[in-house]
Amino acid sequence: MKVLVATEKPFAKRAVDGIRSIVEEAGYELALLEKYTDKTQLLEAVADVDALIVRSDKVTREVIDAARNLRIVVRAGAGYDNVDLAAATERGIVVMNTPGQNSNAVAELAIALMIFMARNRFTPGTGSEIQGKTLGIHAYGHVGRLVGRKGKALGMEVIAYDPFVGEEVFAADGVKRVGSIAELYASSDYLSLHIPATAETKGSIGYDLLMSMPKGATLVNTARKEVIDEEGVLRALTEREDLKYVTDIAAGNQAELDEKFGKRVFATPKKMGAETAEANINAGLAAARQIVDFFRTGNTRFQVNK
Ligand code: 3PG
């Protein structure tokens, strides 16, 4: 059995060592393709593998077609919008993610980005505090919940919207559940986005929602670039000089945003929400364990293409 770890953005060494131990102790072979620069390298590397571990690496139909022995793909992380689920399902390939394993890293970054923007991106001048402000969480899953709890610990008033989460979860965290997306945005000084990129959410966050936010509000995107209506955000930032936008994933029109809005916008140079050793270890090792468990017992608990 051959397991390939294909990571354009590599895991921390300790995570790779841990994955290797799990795979080799199970009697399987580990192959490593890191920092690849061309998809042909991935196409070659998958040719003879039974299992594949990736991060945001694109597992397209072409990749799946090239992987004749492939039986399982594990996205070491939360969002699996980088995997062509239809192509995998057609071939009977199981696709899994590792929910929750890298969430704390992303949540810490979301809080860090809020403070960074509140302090004028650490440039001279009077900033503001996040304590006492209202933090709106759009989607109360693993990351959203951690951001909510951290926000509360920092003295923020936390509200959230998520129609798929039970009232008891919000109640346990002391977070107010609001009834609509419109109400969430209209009430949030900081809005932290945690929705996945799906057909329904793509391009759904734009002009109207931003324009409804309170004076001086900041939209924080550590989710996916695709959920943003980039032209709408540009228009809202143009019309409202008090609004700010910070993102862990550079927008398609980021150069224009930077040029037009200066300190009111910021994008990390490369997606870094899950870029901690802890997150790499948690997600990477979970992925390796899920693969071994799948081959040994048929466990498909974290399968996303059921
Ligand atoms: C996720 O969906 O888990 C995060 O976006 C992290 O992605 P990454 O593994 O590419 O950093």
Side-chain angles (χ1 to χ4, degrees):
M1 210 72 81
K2 188 168 174 183
V3 180
L4 172 69
V5 174
T7 46
E8 181 271 321
K9 192 170 61 180
F11 288 126
K13 187 180 175 306
R14 272 166 56 208
V16 177
D17 291 346
I19 293 169
R20 185 180 297 284
S21 301
I22 292 167
V23 168
E24 291 182 351
E25 269 165 33
Y28 308 155
E29 182 191 343
L30 185 84
L32 203 54
L33 175 70
E34 292 181 322
K35 294 187 189 173
Y36 57 94
T37 49
D38 195 279
K39 74 171 180 192
T40 54
Q41 294 168 275
L42 179 58
L43 294 175
E44 269 170 40
V46 296
D48 62 345
V49 305
D50 304 277
L52 175 62
I53 296 176
V54 292
R55 296 185 63 179
S56 289
D57 307 78
K58 295 210 177 335
V59 184
T60 59
R61 184 174 286 276
E62 196 182 4
V63 172
I64 286 166
D65 285 347
R68 295 320 305 168
N69 301 338
L70 193 61
R71 289 176 56 199
I72 176 167
V73 177
V74 182
R75 190 282 190 244
Y80 44 88
D81 45 311
N82 53 318
V83 181
D84 187 330
L85 292 190
T89 306
E90 277 169 34
R91 280 266 314 280
I93 295 167
V94 168
V95 181
M96 296 185 187
N97 64 352
T98 64
Q101 299 290 352
N102 60 14
S103 305
N104 190 64
V106 182
E108 286 191 10
L109 184 76
I111 297 286
L113 292 176
M114 286 176 216
I115 297 176
F116 182 59
M117 296 306 278
R119 295 303 182 97
N120 302 319
R121 299 181 27 181
F122 300 161
T123 58
T126 307
S128 58
E129 299 178 17
I130 62 170
Q131 174 171 269
K133 305 296 188 301
T134 299
L135 166 60
I137 314 271
H138 191 168
Y140 209 62
H142 289 283
V143 183
R145 193 166 183 180
L146 286 167
V147 174
R149 288 180 187 164
K150 291 177 200 304
K152 278 193 79 83
L154 290 165
M156 302 182 89
E157 190 192 325
V158 183
I159 61 176
Y161 173 80
D162 195 326
F164 306 107
V165 172
E167 181 60 51
E168 67 288 355
V169 175
F170 298 94
D173 291 352
V175 165
K176 184 182 162 209
R177 176 186 204 169
V178 298
S180 69
I181 294 175
E183 186 185 346
L184 183 75
Y185 282 71
S187 317
S188 299
D189 299 307
Y190 290 88
L191 191 294
S192 198
L193 267 175
H194 302 292
I195 49 176
T198 64
E200 292 77 43
T201 64
K202 281 183 185 168
S204 66
I205 310 301
Y207 180 81
D208 291 343
L209 289 175
L210 260 149
M211 290 301 281
S212 76
M213 292 180 79
K215 190 165 168 27
T218 303
L219 177 63
V220 182
N221 183 12
T222 56
R224 286 289 181 272
K225 137 190 210 294
E226 290 79 6
V227 303
I228 300 290
D229 164 11
E230 294 179 343
E231 280 311 305
V233 168
L234 186 134
R235 207 148 60 87
L237 290 171
T238 305
E239 288 178 28
R240 291 250 325 250
E241 289 188 7
D242 58 305
L243 292 176
K244 296 180 185 176
Y245 177 53
V246 60
T247 176
D248 185 28
I249 319 96
N253 58 355
Q254 193 64 44
E256 191 180 358
L257 295 180
D258 289 341
E259 195 198 314
K260 285 199 164 128
F261 308 118
K263 280 190 265 176
R264 291 166 53 209
V265 295
F266 179 76
T268 52
K270 191 163 176 110
K271 191 167 111 179
M272 59 177 292
E275 283 291 76
T276 66
E278 293 90 338
N280 286 180
I281 291 166
N282 291 341
L285 271 58
R289 289 193 188 104
Q290 286 172 212
I291 286 171
V292 172
D293 207 23
F294 169 72
F295 284 131
R296 283 197 175 149
T297 70
N299 188 340
T300 54
R301 178 170 167 213
F302 296 107
Q303 184 172 357
V304 295
N305 63 335
K306 269 185 185 162

